[in-house]
Amino acid sequence: MIFETHAHYDDEKFDKDREELLGSMKENGIEYIINCCAAVEDIEKTVQLMETYDFLYGAVGVHPDDAEKMSPQVLEKIEKLCGHPKTAAIGEIGLDYYWHKEAEVQNLQKTWFRKQMELARKEQLPFLVHSREAARDTLEIVREFMKAGMYGGIIHCFSYGKEIAREYLDMGLLLGIGGVVTFKNAKKLKEVVEYAPLEQLVLETDSPYLAPEPNRGKRNSSLNLPYVAEAIGEIKGITAQEVVKVTNKNAKKLFNIPN
Ligand SMILES: [Zn+2]
């Protein structure tokens, strides 16, 4: 069975058929789903989902896109939610310099990234990192926290090259691999997948975004994960079943969900 480590089923793109879609996961081989908070105003929606579906756990946190909306009150809310029995991680947190070029905003992102990493340590939870066009700063912050002790984490939708991958792998972190690995032009990511040990990869979709081939451009869902497993298997010269089995085990270990 597949472990989906990163989806956003609270997104409005699922408003019309969320129940039906999530209700069909188990019969389609999806065992567990981590739903990740992103926007400040949507945190409650993830809580609702994790309280409705037994197979769905939550990552609580605020995306770098919302750094300007962060406040000590929101951080306090996230901290309270860490005590929820279905909270499995802090996420998604990190840096996004693709959409945010202003130094002032980037500094705010760093501040709230650090504060949420501190929370992950304090609450003994793994962290889920979003990093886009911010390779050096993300690495610096993650390294700083890992040195002083953390409970593991995933670099989600990994988009950098082998050199950066090696840094994270050496720290014992996992790389989240999704639909991009099926794209013809994803040479850099395919190299990373070939290089990284299977024991340090996990499957993810980032639904509703980044649907894999042959559904590229459509709304994504965890039901597309077999295409991702297939692509990873092809690169590594193993079966998709082996990819599913090992990545499931990796995720359960990280999120502390018994087999
Ligand atoms: Zn995401």
Side-chain angles (χ1 to χ4, degrees), residues 6-8 36-38 63 92 130 156-157 204-207 209:
H6 194 115
H8 302 280
C36 299
C37 289
H63 194 285
E92 59 178 296
H130 169 106
H156 133 75
C157 193
E204 63 165 51
T205 57
D206 207 17
S207 294
Y209 310 106

Side-chain angles (χ1 to χ4, degrees), residues 9-41:
Y9 284 110
D10 52 300
D11 193 284
E12 60 183 16
K13 290 190 180 71
F14 295 109
D15 281 354
K16 279 193 183 136
D17 60 347
R18 182 176 294 110
E19 242 177 88
E20 193 190 341
L21 182 63
L22 286 173
S24 74
M25 288 297 161
K26 276 201 171 158
E27 67 201 62
N28 284 295
I30 311 298
E31 187 181 18
Y32 285 111
I33 294 173
I34 304 290
N35 200 77
C36 299
C37 289
V40 164
E41 59 269 22

